[in-house]
Amino acid sequence: SYYLVDVSSAASTKLSLSNIPAGSYKSITYTIGVDSTRNVSGAQTGALDPANTMFWSWNSGYIFMKFEGTSPQAPANTFSYHIGGFSGANNAIRTNTINFSTTNLEVKSGATPMVHLSTNVQKVFDGSGATISVATFDKTHMPGQQAVKVADNFAGAISLDHIHN
C-alpha cells in the first residue's frame, strides 16, 4: 500500500494498517518512495493520484518527498526539495527498518497497538547522506545526486518514539 503523509494535515500523519497477523513484532520495515513499476505506469489513484501534486508529468514519475521552506541563508530566502528517482545512481527510494529495542509490538485480537515514529527535520540537513546548506543548495526538482543525498538524510531522520500495546 502507498500512503501520503502531509504534515500540514494531522489526520494524514496517522496511518492505520489492517490485516497484520497476530504476533510479537521486534521491528517495522517500510519504504519511502514509489517502486519502479508504479513509476513507469503513469498516473494512478489514491495516494498516487496526480491531484496530490506528487507526480512529475514532465518526467512521468513520482515525487517521494517535498520539503520546502524559508531561510534567510537561501539565495531567494526559500528552499525547495522535490525528491524522486528510482533507478541507477539516481535511485532515491529508501527502505528503513526500525528496531523496537525494549518493547515488542504485540498484535492481538481486540487490541489496537500503536507505533509512534518521529521525524527530526534537522537531520534532513545534517544526516548520514551529507551536510546540506540552503545557502549553496536551495533547490532540486529532479532525480539526481543531490536528491539522493536528501533521500539518505530523510530516511535517517525517522526514529521510534514509543509503542502502545
Side-chain angles (χ1 to χ4, degrees):
S1 296
Y2 289 91
Y3 299 90
L4 180 59
V5 176
D6 179 349
V7 297
S8 68
S9 168
S12 81
T13 65
K14 295 175 173 80
L15 308 178
S16 294
L17 307 178
S18 58
N19 301 318
I20 306 297
S24 182
Y25 293 84
K26 297 178 184 180
S27 64
I28 184 172
T29 299
Y30 57 91
T31 300
I32 303 166
V34 179
D35 67 68
S36 61
T37 301
R38 291 279 182 111
N39 256 291
V40 299
S41 296
Q44 303 190 31
T45 61
L48 299 180
D49 189 320
N52 293 321
T53 69
M54 298 297 283
F55 185 75
W56 282 315
S57 58
W58 61 268
N59 192 33
S60 294
Y62 284 91
I63 300 166
F64 309 157
M65 179 188 78
K66 285 185 180 178
F67 188 61
E68 301 172 335
T70 61
S71 171
Q73 286 84 29
N77 293 322
T78 63
F79 61 91
S80 177
Y81 306 132
H82 294 188
I83 307 305
F86 61 89
S87 66
N90 295 332
N91 186 351
I93 298 171
R94 297 294 174 264
T95 299
N96 251 9
T97 297
I98 295 179
N99 294 308
F100 308 144
S101 58
T102 58
T103 304
N104 286 352
L105 178 68
E106 303 296 335
V107 176
K108 53 190 168 189
S109 179
T112 307
M114 290 185 263
V115 176
H116 291 253
L117 302 177
S118 65
T119 303
N120 180 342
V121 175
Q122 182 61 40
K123 287 189 176 185
V124 174
F125 296 104
D126 60 11
S128 62
T131 298
I132 295 170
S133 168
V134 296
T136 57
F137 170 46
D138 63 331
K139 184 188 313 181
T140 185
H141 286 190
M142 59 187 297
Q145 287 306 295
Q146 295 289 37
V148 168
K149 291 175 186 176
V150 175
D152 287 342
N153 284 359
F154 180 66
I158 301 169
S159 63
L160 176 67
D161 188 272
H162 62 280
I163 294 174
H164 294 282
N165 278 310

